[in-house]
Amino acid sequence: MATRSRKGKKCTVIGGCGFLGRYIVERLLEEGYTVSVFDIAKTFEDDRVKFFVGDLCQEKDLAPAISDVQTVFHCASPPPSSDDRDLFYRVNFVGTKNIISACKKAGVQKLVLTSSASVVYEGTDIKNGTEDLPYAKKPMDYYTETKVLQEKEVLAANSPEENFFTVAIRPHGIFGPRDRQLVPILVDTARAGKTKFMIGNGENLVDFTYVVNVAHGHLLAAEHLHKDSPVCGKAFHITNDEPIPFWTFMSRILEGLNYPSPKMGLPYLLIYYLAAFLQLLCLLLKPIKEIKPTFTPMRVALAGTYHYYSCQRAKQLMGYKPVVPLDEGIKLTVKGYAHLQNNN
Ligand SMILES: NC(=O)c1ccc[n+]([C@@H]2O[C@H](COP(=O)([O-])OP(=O)(O)OC[C@H]3O[C@@H](n4cnc5c(N)ncnc54)[C@H](O)[C@@H]3O)[C@@H](O)[C@H]2O)c1
Ligand SMILES: CC(C)=CCC[C@@H](C)[C@H]1CC[C@H]2C3=C(CC[C@]12C)[C@@]1(C)CC[C@H](O)[C@@](C)(C(=O)O)[C@@H]1CC3
C-alpha cells in the first residue's frame, strides 16, 4: 500500500510542453499531483515540474521520465498540418508502442491517451456520434490514420492481469489561449483575404472544446482508471456538449479579433473537389516546389459537414461535465489572442 500511495499522485505528461499538455500539467498541479514532463522541446519553466527532454521514438529516452510514477498521460503528436507521413507513423504509432512497452517495464499502472474524435470521421456528416461508431475505414488524412492505429494499440494494451489500465480520450476541435493550430491559422487565413466566403450554407453543427474542459476530462479518466472500473480499455468523447455552426464559431473569433467574417456561402462540394484537385496538383509539383494549401480536403470537410459527438458515456462513467461553457471559452480565447488583433 505504501508503494501505491507513494506513487499514487506521481505522474508524467508526455507532450506536456504542448498546447493541451501544458493545461493538463497545470490542472494536475492544482490537484496536488507531483508532475514530470517529457517532451522533445521544452517550452516553459516551472519549478514545480521535473522536465525530461527526449524523443518518445527512443524508448531509452522514456525510461527515466516514467520511473516511479503511477500515471502517464500521452498527448504528444506531430502537428496535424505536417505532411511528413513517416514522422506521423514513427511518433504516433511506433512511438506509442514504445510508451506502452516502457510503461509496462517501469510498473506504470495507468496510461491515458489523447486520441481524437476524428478517428471515426470520413468526411461525411456525424450528428451526436457515439464511441460505438466504427473506426474510419478511409481516414481523411494520414494524421488521422495514425491516430486510429495509436488508439487501437493503447486500448488493446489494457491488461488488468498485469495491473496496467488504459483509456483513450477523444477531444474534438480543442481551442483556447496558447493554441497553435486553430486561431493562428484562422488569423493567417483572414489576413490572406481567404475568409470572405464560408464553405457550405453555414448551418453545419460541430463541436469545439475549450481546452480546460479537455484537461479536466483527462484527469477524470485517470481518477476512474483502476481494477474492475468500466472505464478501462474504452474511448471517451470529451466535448463542450454545445455543438455550434462551424462558421458561427469562426465568425465569433474573427469578429472578436476585429477581422471581417464571411457573409456568403460557396457550394460545399464545389470547394471540396477543388481542394482535392489542388492537393493532387501540389503532390505532383512537390519535386519542383513545396506548396501547402490552406484549404485541404480535410479542412474543407470539417468546415462544411456536421461533426459533433455525444459525451454521454463520459458523463455516465466518469461524471464528466464541461467546467467552462462555450461562450466563456470563446471570450477567454479572443482575450488571449489580443496580439493577433487586426489593427488595420
Ligand atoms: N488541437 C486539437 O484540436 C486536438 C483535437 C483532438 C485531439 N488532439 C490531440 O491532442 C494532443 C495534443 O495536441 P496539441 O494541440 O496540444 O498539440 P501540440 O503540437 O501543441 O503538442 C504536442 C506536443 O508533443 C510534443 N512531441 C511531438 N513529437 C514528439 C516526440 N517525438 N517526442 C516527444 N514529444 C513530442 C511536441 O513537442 C508538443 O509539445 C495530440 O495527441 C493531438 O492529436 C488535438
Ligand atoms: C477552413 C479554415 C482554413 C479554417 C481555419 C481554422 C482551421 C485551421 C481549424 C478549424 C477546425 C480545426 C480542426 C483541427 C485543426 C485546425 C482546424 C482545421 C483538427 C484537424 C486538429 C487535430 C484534431 O485531432 C482534430 C481532427 C479533431 O479535433 O478531431 C481537429 C479538427 C478541427
Side-chain angles (χ1 to χ4, degrees):
M1 274 304 281
T3 311
R4 192 159 60 178
S5 59
R6 180 170 50 76
K7 288 175 71 169
K9 297 285 274 187
K10 294 180 75 175
C11 58
T12 297
V13 183
I14 298 175
C17 286
F19 164 51
L20 170 61
R22 190 171 170 187
Y23 280 93
I24 292 175
V25 168
E26 289 165 350
R27 193 62 198 256
L28 287 165
L29 291 169
E30 283 167 16
E31 296 297 318
Y33 283 85
T34 302
V35 184
S36 294
V37 163
F38 178 91
D39 204 302
I40 203 164
K42 184 180 177 189
T43 60
F44 70 98
E45 298 292 339
D46 189 320
D47 296 341
R48 298 168 296 175
V49 175
K50 190 170 182 186
F51 288 93
F52 296 83
V53 178
D55 182 350
L56 64 84
C57 296
Q58 306 298 326
E59 190 173 333
K60 62 177 174 43
D61 287 3
L62 285 164
I66 61 172
S67 139
D68 195 32
V69 304
Q70 183 192 55
T71 306
V72 166
F73 296 87
H74 172 20
C75 56
S77 166
S81 55
S82 166
D83 54 8
D84 187 337
R85 292 170 66 96
D86 178 53
L87 182 67
F88 279 128
Y89 187 80
R90 279 189 295 110
V91 175
N92 285 353
F93 182 53
V94 178
T96 297
K97 291 203 288 183
N98 283 348
I99 290 171
I100 292 166
S101 168
C103 282
K104 288 189 172 181
K105 285 175 188 167
V108 170
Q109 271 187 338
K110 307 180 183 188
L111 175 57
V112 181
L113 169 71
T114 311
S115 179
S116 169
S118 68
V119 295
V120 298
Y121 180 66
E122 294 190 306
T124 53
D125 292 345
I126 295 180
K127 298 180 180 179
N128 205 37
T130 67
E131 293 87 348
D132 299 325
L133 285 173
Y135 287 115
K137 291 183 183 61
K138 294 180 185 166
M140 292 291 289
D141 56 16
Y142 198 63
Y143 157 83
T144 304
E145 191 166 336
T146 57
K147 293 298 281 186
V148 171
L149 293 174
Q150 174 185 67
E151 181 181 298
K152 285 179 177 176
E153 210 62 35
V154 167
L155 296 184
N158 184 62
S159 171
E161 56 281 1
E162 294 177 273
N163 200 32
F164 184 57
F165 308 105
T166 67
V167 66
I169 298 298
R170 294 180 180 175
H172 192 41
I174 311 177
F175 74 99
R178 307 196 303 244
D179 143 54
R180 307 171 181 181
Q181 285 155 35
L182 197 159
V183 173
I185 296 174
L186 176 61
V187 167
D188 285 347
T189 307
R191 287 174 172 171
K194 297 178 183 175
T195 53
K196 290 187 174 63
F197 300 99
M198 64 179 128
I199 296 164
N201 61 18
E203 292 171 8
N204 54 307
L205 292 173
V206 306
D207 277 323
F208 286 103
T209 313
Y210 188 63
V211 61
V212 168
N213 296 327
V214 181
H216 173 56
H218 279 70
L219 268 73
L220 272 182
E223 286 155 15
H224 285 79
L225 203 51
H226 50 73
K227 195 167 180 58
D228 303 328
S229 162
V231 165
C232 299
K234 286 195 179 70
F236 292 85
H237 294 141
I238 292 292
T239 75
N240 250 86
D241 207 17
E242 295 176 80
I244 180 174
F246 180 92
W247 289 101
T248 302
F249 178 88
M250 292 298 147
S251 297
R252 286 282 309 273
I253 303 288
L254 287 168
E255 290 164 11
L257 295 174
N258 199 27
Y259 292 96
S261 58
K263 298 292 179 282
M264 266 185 64
L266 294 174
Y268 167 66
L269 284 176
L270 170 68
I271 303 301
Y272 181 81
Y273 286 111
L274 269 177
F277 172 71
L278 190 58
Q279 186 176 59
L280 181 64
L281 202 59
C282 291
L283 198 62
L284 295 172
L285 292 173
K286 194 167 182 178
I288 306 162
K289 181 171 174 50
E290 178 105 24
I291 304 168
K292 289 194 79 170
T294 302
F295 294 96
T296 61
M298 171 70 157
R299 287 180 181 172
V300 170
L302 289 164
T305 63
Y306 288 76
H307 43 95
Y308 62 95
Y309 301 86
S310 162
C311 45
Q312 198 55 32
R313 178 187 279 182
K315 290 178 185 174
Q316 281 169 349
L317 298 186
M318 299 198 283
Y320 170 74
K321 64 185 172 93
V323 288
V324 180
L326 190 69
D327 184 59
E328 185 183 341
I330 293 172
K331 287 173 181 162
L332 290 168
T333 302
V334 167
K335 200 172 162 192
Y337 278 99
H339 61 289
L340 294 182
Q341 183 103 9
N342 179 14
N343 297 315
N344 294 336

